[in-house]
């Protein structure tokens, strides 16, 4: 499961649980037993208890003290929370990554923040090192390709829909570009294996 929005949101949640779409803490709990090898995206607030430093200024959505990230680690997942950590995660057996407490920033804002634009840096908030969908796709393939029986990978550019709901077609177009680049990563990966 790879998404630029919360990994418990509509589409990724449908691949991970048997719950109504708005019960995102329940979806997070069900993801633990869903059989996934890779979960990358936003939505840490559904997995971490109130006061956890990984949430920065994002309030937890949990009403208990349960720390699902620690439970995933005990289940054999390597955990990353920044693009830099993801880039250097190697080929973990299982990989869990949350890059924002809620939804990841748009590609438009991530790119402008790299250029030093203050308003874009503000949009990233306390999560300045968020990965691209391309990097998440590449690292997901690195993990999943170790399975000799094959795999299914759901990659979602969830921010396309989000930005259009906000009536922001410029950011939505950037999100489509990001999805196109992620598809390119997957197609190249598949083509390289077809030659073997």
């Amino acid at each position: 499961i790879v998404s630029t929005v919360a990994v418990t949101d509509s589409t990724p949640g449908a691949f991970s649980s048997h719950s109504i779409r708005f019960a995102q803490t329940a979806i997070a709990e069900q993801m633990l037993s869903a059989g996934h090898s890779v979960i990358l995206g936003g939505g840490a607030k559904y997995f971490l208890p109130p006061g956890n430093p990984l949430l920065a200024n994002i309030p937890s959505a949990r009403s208990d003290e349960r720390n699902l990230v620690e439970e995933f680690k005990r289940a054999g997942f390597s955990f990353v929370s920044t693009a830099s950590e993801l880039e250097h995660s190697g080929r973990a057996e299982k990989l869990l990554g949350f890059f924002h407490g809620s939804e990841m920033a748009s590609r438009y804002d991530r790119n402008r923040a790299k250029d030093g634009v203050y308003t874009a840096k503000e949009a990233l908030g306390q999560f300045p090192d968020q990965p691209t969908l391309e990097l998440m796709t590449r690292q997901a393939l690195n993990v999943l390709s170790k399975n000799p029986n094959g795999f299914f990978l759901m990659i979602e550019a969830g921010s396309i829909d989000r930005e259009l709901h906000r009536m922001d077609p410029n950011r939505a177009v950037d999100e489509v570009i990001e999805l196109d680049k992620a598809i390119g990563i997957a197609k190249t990966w598949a083509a390289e294996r077809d030659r073997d």
Side-chain angles (χ1 to χ4, degrees):
I1 298 293
V2 174
S3 182
T4 53
V5 295
V7 296
T8 53
D9 199 50
S10 305
T11 302
F15 284 95
S16 305
S17 69
H18 300 284
S19 183
I20 62 169
R21 70 178 283 202
F22 298 110
Q24 294 192 37
T25 54
I27 293 169
E29 292 166 13
Q30 290 180 38
M31 290 181 94
L32 191 55
S33 59
H36 297 314
S37 298
V38 174
I39 302 169
L40 300 173
K45 69 181 183 178
Y46 302 108
F47 293 80
L48 294 168
N52 190 286
L54 286 173
L55 292 175
N57 62 342
I58 304 292
S60 172
R62 300 199 64 80
S63 59
D64 57 21
E65 292 299 315
R66 194 167 174 191
N67 185 326
L68 293 177
V69 170
E70 290 302 320
E71 292 182 39
F72 271 97
K73 287 180 184 178
R74 286 194 294 273
F77 281 78
S78 297
F79 177 69
V80 294
S81 61
T82 66
S84 302
E85 290 174 357
L86 180 61
E87 184 75 54
H88 297 100
S89 62
R91 292 183 66 180
E93 291 297 317
K94 296 179 179 179
L95 185 58
L96 175 69
F98 295 119
F99 310 104
H100 197 285
S102 186
E103 297 176 337
M104 294 173 62
S106 71
R107 177 185 179 88
Y108 177 83
D109 289 319
R110 281 183 273 124
N111 285 341
R112 288 172 36 101
K114 287 179 190 169
D115 294 337
V117 176
Y118 176 76
T119 53
K121 287 182 179 179
E122 213 172 45
L124 270 64
Q126 294 182 318
F127 303 91
D129 191 18
Q130 298 176 39
T132 62
L133 191 58
E134 303 101 273
L135 175 58
M136 291 193 289
T137 300
R138 186 168 57 249
Q139 294 303 80
L141 289 168
N142 283 342
V143 172
L144 296 171
S145 63
K146 295 164 68 174
N147 186 336
N149 298 318
F151 60 87
F152 171 81
L153 173 58
M154 192 288 302
I155 303 168
E156 177 192 41
S159 298
I160 297 170
D161 182 52
R162 179 186 68 182
E163 298 303 346
L164 289 170
H165 279 295
R166 294 176 181 167
M167 304 293 285
D168 193 337
N170 293 331
R171 280 181 174 81
V173 167
D174 262 12
E175 299 302 312
V176 172
I177 291 168
E178 183 166 54
L179 177 60
D180 182 66
K181 289 179 179 290
I183 290 169
I185 295 285
K187 287 179 74 174
T188 298
W189 181 91
E192 288 170 353
R193 274 125 195 99
D194 282 346
R195 288 195 295 269
D196 290 341

